[in-house]
Amino acid sequence: MADATTRWRTVDPLRPGDPHEVAGFEVVGRLGEGGMGVVFLARHPDHGLAALKFVRAGGPVAADDPSFRARFGREIEAARRVRSPRAARVLAADPDATVPWLATAFVDGPTLQEAVTADGPMSGDRLVSLAVALADALASVHEAGVVHRDLKPRNILLTADTPVVIDFGIASVREAPQLTRTGVAIGTPGWMAPEQVQGRPCGPATDVFGWGAVVTFAAGGTAPFGEGSADALLYRIVHEPPSVPPLPPALDGLVQAALEKDPDRRPSVGQILAALTGSPIDETQAGATALGPTLADRTAVVPTIVALGWDVEALPTRPDGRPRDAPTGVAVGRPRPLDVGGGPAAGGPRSRRGAVPAGVEAAFWYAGEDHHDPRSLASAFQTLWDDAVDQVFRRRDSVWIDELRGFLRAHGREEAERIVASGAGESPPAAGMARLLLALDPALEPRVGALRLTPDGLVAAAEAVAARGEPAGPMRARVDGAGGAGGPSRVAE
C-alpha cells in the first residue's frame, strides 16, 4: 500500500521480502524498525489492529538459541494473562516460528516522549493521573508474573482515555540469554535501574525505579540522570543521586523512594498505589493488590482518579497539524458520567469528553475529538463536509476506514457501516456522504450550503435549475428515481 497514517503514526509501504499475512494477521505496512527487529501494522478479523513485531535475525538476540525461544515462550504466556486498559494486550505470538514474532493490540497515540517534547512538562492532577495509571499498569504486569525491564517515555503511549504501557511482552527479547549469562547490561541507557547496569537479577523493584524515572521526566522534561554517553549515564545511575524537579506533595516522597539505589529500599507498586489512592493495603495477604485481594478491586478507584486528571487535552497537536480540540460548531456530544462499574464515582464527577451509551465504549476520533455518539459524528461530518467526503469516499485510507467501520458496528449502525465499506460506487462522493449522514442520524438534514441533500430537496433543486434553464454550478443535482429512505440516488459534482 502507499504511505498512510493512523491518527499518530506513519505507515510505510511493505518492502520486498516483508510478510503479507501471518497467522490470520493481514500485514498493512511498516510502523518502524529498532533493536528488536521490524514492527508492522497488521489487522485481524477478530483482534482488530495490531502491532506485529518480528525478532531481528542475528544481532544481540539469538533467535536460533533454544533457551531464548523457551524463555520467550514462557514470558509471552505470562504476558497474555495481563488484563488492564493501561497495558497493551498480547494478542498472539509464535516463539517457535522461523522468525519469532509477537502481536500486541495497536495503541494509536503519541508517546510520552513526544507529548512532553511538544507541550512541555506535566504538573498537578495530570501528572498525578499519569503516575497512577503507570503504577496500575505495572501492578497488572507484575500480577501476571512479568517484569517489564524497559519502562521509558517511548514505551508509554497516550490516548484520550489513559496512558498505556507497551512492550512488556518482549522483556525476554531485550535480555538475550547469551548476554545475561555473561553479565552484560541490557536495557536503555538513562532508563535502567542500578541492578540492571550491574548485571544483577531484575524484579518488580526494577520497574518501580523505571516508574520513578518516567514520572521525573514527565514533571521536568529531562531524565533523572541527564544526557550523555552510555558510559556516563550508567555511571550516574549507579553512583550519583537523581535530579528530581519539584513535584506535587502526593508524588514527592514516592518518587524519591522509587529512585533508591538499593531495590530493597524502594516501595512496591502496591504501596505506591495505596499512597496515591488513599486506600489501605495488606501485603501479607496472598495475592494482595493496592486496593484489595484481586485486580478487580482496583477498577472502581483507579479509573476515576485517572479520568479526573486526564482527557484529550493531555495530547499534543497531532503530527499533521490537526488540532486536538473540536473546531467551532462541531457537536461533540453531552457530558457523560464516569463509568466506574458502580464504584464511588458513579453518578458523580463528569468527564469533559463526549457521551457514550451505557455499555458502549467505542469511540471514533474525528475533527480533533473522540466521538462516542453517531449523531455527534454526523454533525462533525456535516460541518466539515469537504474533508469528510474526501476522507470517507475518495482517500479511503484503510486504517482510518477500518476504525470508522468498527465504531459503526459497535453502535449498531449496520447501514452506515455498509455505506462506508462499499464506498460511493458509481454515484458521486457527495451522494454517498448524504446517505451516510442519514444512516448515522435520520433526523439530520444533509446539506451543502443552501442545497438540501434529501430526496425532496434534490427534486426542488433540480426543478429550480430546469426552470432557470441553466446549470446548477458545481453542485448540480440530478435525481434518478424517487430516492426513498436510502437518501438521494445521484448528486453530480
Side-chain angles (χ1 to χ4, degrees):
M1 68 180 272
D3 286 8
T5 59
T6 65
R7 296 173 191 169
W8 286 95
R9 299 282 163 244
T10 297
V11 184
D12 294 325
L14 296 175
R15 301 175 187 174
D18 284 345
H20 290 266
E21 190 275 338
V22 177
F25 289 89
E26 177 193 358
V27 182
V28 175
R30 283 176 164 242
L31 286 171
E33 190 168 0
M36 174 191 173
V38 182
V39 183
F40 297 97
L41 181 67
R43 64 165 67 89
H44 190 280
D46 297 323
H47 300 307
L49 290 177
L52 191 61
K53 309 174 187 187
F54 282 83
V55 177
R56 183 189 300 277
V61 176
D64 58 350
D65 185 334
S67 64
F68 160 75
R69 290 178 180 270
R71 181 179 177 183
F72 188 31
R74 288 194 302 269
E75 192 146 350
I76 293 305
E77 285 306 310
R80 279 173 162 161
R81 297 195 293 269
V82 175
R83 291 292 182 269
S84 171
R86 281 160 281 283
R89 288 183 301 121
V90 173
L91 303 176
D94 189 353
D96 298 319
T98 303
V99 180
W101 59 270
L102 165 72
T104 59
F106 176 68
V107 180
D108 195 4
T111 67
L112 178 61
Q113 180 85 41
E114 292 168 335
V116 171
T117 299
D119 279 3
M122 298 179 180
S123 61
D125 290 345
R126 183 160 298 155
L127 182 63
V128 173
S129 67
L130 172 74
V132 171
L134 298 182
D136 185 59
L138 290 176
S140 301
V141 170
H142 294 168
E143 284 167 3
V146 179
V147 179
H148 192 293
R149 300 180 179 91
D150 197 22
L151 192 67
K152 59 186 177 183
R154 295 186 187 279
N155 277 342
I156 297 162
L157 295 175
L158 309 183
T159 72
D161 291 315
T162 182
V164 178
V165 172
I166 64 171
D167 277 2
F168 59 86
I170 60 174
S172 61
V173 174
R174 289 194 168 84
E175 295 198 10
Q178 77 277 17
L179 294 182
T180 55
R181 280 197 299 264
T182 60
V184 176
I186 299 296
T188 304
W191 302 102
M192 298 166 67
E195 58 269 25
Q196 280 179 289
V197 175
Q198 295 170 328
R200 293 186 282 127
C202 297
T206 302
D207 288 343
V208 170
F209 191 93
W211 175 87
V214 166
V215 174
T216 296
F217 169 81
T222 58
F225 298 96
E227 300 179 355
S229 68
D231 288 344
L233 291 172
L234 299 180
Y235 178 86
R236 292 176 202 152
I237 288 171
V238 174
H239 298 288
E240 296 183 0
S243 175
V244 180
L247 297 169
L251 290 175
D252 193 16
L254 287 173
V255 170
Q256 294 285 358
L259 293 173
E260 284 279 354
K261 307 296 185 187
D262 182 354
D264 292 336
R265 295 174 60 86
R266 298 172 202 153
S268 67
V269 170
Q271 289 169 331
I272 291 172
L273 278 171
L276 293 176
T277 61
S279 301
I281 180 169
D282 178 8
E283 292 196 333
T284 63
Q285 182 178 356
T289 67
L291 305 180
T294 67
L295 176 63
D297 293 323
R298 286 204 308 271
T299 59
V301 177
V302 169
T304 302
I305 293 173
V306 173
L308 288 176
W310 195 268
D311 63 8
V312 70
E313 287 295 322
L315 306 182
T317 300
R318 288 181 290 179
D320 60 6
R322 284 178 290 170
R324 60 182 178 233
D325 294 321
T328 301
V330 175
V332 296
R334 304 176 302 279
R336 64 184 176 95
L338 295 174
D339 181 8
V340 294
R350 288 181 174 266
S351 166
R352 284 169 285 177
R353 302 183 59 236
V356 58
V360 177
E361 292 298 331
F364 181 71
W365 179 280
Y366 181 70
E369 180 65 42
D370 266 323
H371 295 272
H372 294 271
D373 185 335
R375 291 186 297 274
S376 167
L377 181 61
S379 178
F381 280 170
Q382 173 74 87
T383 302
L384 303 177
W385 175 275
D386 290 341
D387 177 73
V389 170
D390 184 55
Q391 293 205 49
V392 179
F393 295 105
R394 293 195 184 96
R395 292 172 55 189
R396 296 186 60 76
D397 176 82
S398 60
V399 172
W400 196 86
I401 290 293
D402 280 353
E403 289 188 356
L404 176 56
R405 291 181 62 188
F407 168 81
L408 297 174
R409 286 194 299 271
H411 287 271
R413 293 296 200 272
E414 290 84 0
E415 175 63 15
E417 197 267 337
R418 185 193 64 77
I419 293 170
V420 171
S422 60
E426 295 182 358
S427 298
M433 178 55 66
R435 288 193 295 270
L436 176 59
L437 291 181
L438 290 172
L440 288 171
D441 183 2
L444 189 69
E445 185 179 83
R447 64 171 61 242
V448 177
L451 179 61
R452 292 187 298 117
L453 299 179
T454 59
D456 290 344
L458 288 172
V459 169
E463 290 174 348
V465 170
R468 291 196 302 268
E470 59 186 19
M475 289 301 299
R476 178 171 51 88
R478 177 168 61 88
V479 179
D480 296 337
S489 58
R490 177 84 63 178
V491 179
E493 292 186 324

